[in-house]
Amino acid sequence: MSSQKEVCEKFKADFIPCSEIEKLGLAVETLGKLPINGLRHKAENGTCGWYIWCGEELSQDPDFFKPLHVSHIKEYLPEIEQYLALPTGYRFLIADDYEDVWQDSSLINM
């Protein structure tokens, strides 16, 4: 598994790590599905800006994401921990041996 710094270097992205006490949004009900998706909005109000869900569908339900401290992500999705230092505006999609990481400028302007 790559480190967070290696992932940022690989994708030529700034290294902006999350604090373990910050929260992210995790769609707990989707765990076990593929692909695993993540997107990072601007950090605010004690969050790091990350929203993580599994599967093809991103629900608009206001209760879709549950708050989770960053320190606990390794218990749910250890395979995504390496992506959490990508900066605001980045997204990832992973499944088995597939990895896609890209910058989505629309996330910065929200």
Side-chain angles (χ1 to χ4, degrees):
M1 179 179 279
S2 299
S3 74
Q4 291 181 350
K5 278 192 176 190
E6 289 170 335
V7 167
C8 290
E9 288 170 4
K10 177 180 179 180
F11 295 103
K12 298 176 177 55
D14 292 337
F15 176 69
I16 311 293
C18 301
S19 162
E20 292 207 338
I21 62 168
E22 289 179 304
K23 292 182 182 172
L24 53 75
L26 178 64
V28 177
E29 291 82 14
T30 67
L31 292 174
K33 297 179 182 178
L34 290 176
I36 303 171
N37 305 273
L39 58 84
R40 192 172 191 182
H41 289 287
K42 182 180 163 202
E44 59 185 8
N45 301 324
T47 72
C48 63
W50 278 109
Y51 290 88
I52 314 293
W53 74 98
C54 303
E56 301 285 334
E57 299 296 319
L58 172 58
S59 174
Q60 299 304 311
D61 182 338
D63 296 323
F64 186 61
F65 293 104
K66 307 291 187 242
L68 180 77
H69 284 105
V70 171
S71 62
H72 296 293
I73 196 65
K74 60 183 144 266
E75 298 166 28
Y76 292 89
L77 293 168
E79 61 270 53
I80 64 120
E81 193 173 11
Q82 63 185 328
Y83 299 98
L84 296 183
L86 290 166
T88 300
Y90 269 79
R91 299 177 72 123
F92 66 80
L93 184 148
I94 58 172
D96 299 322
D97 291 335
Y98 181 79
E99 172 189 63
D100 193 6
V101 174
W102 68 100
Q103 189 172 18
D104 181 349
S105 59
S106 72
L107 297 175
I108 297 170
N109 300 322
M110 295 182 101

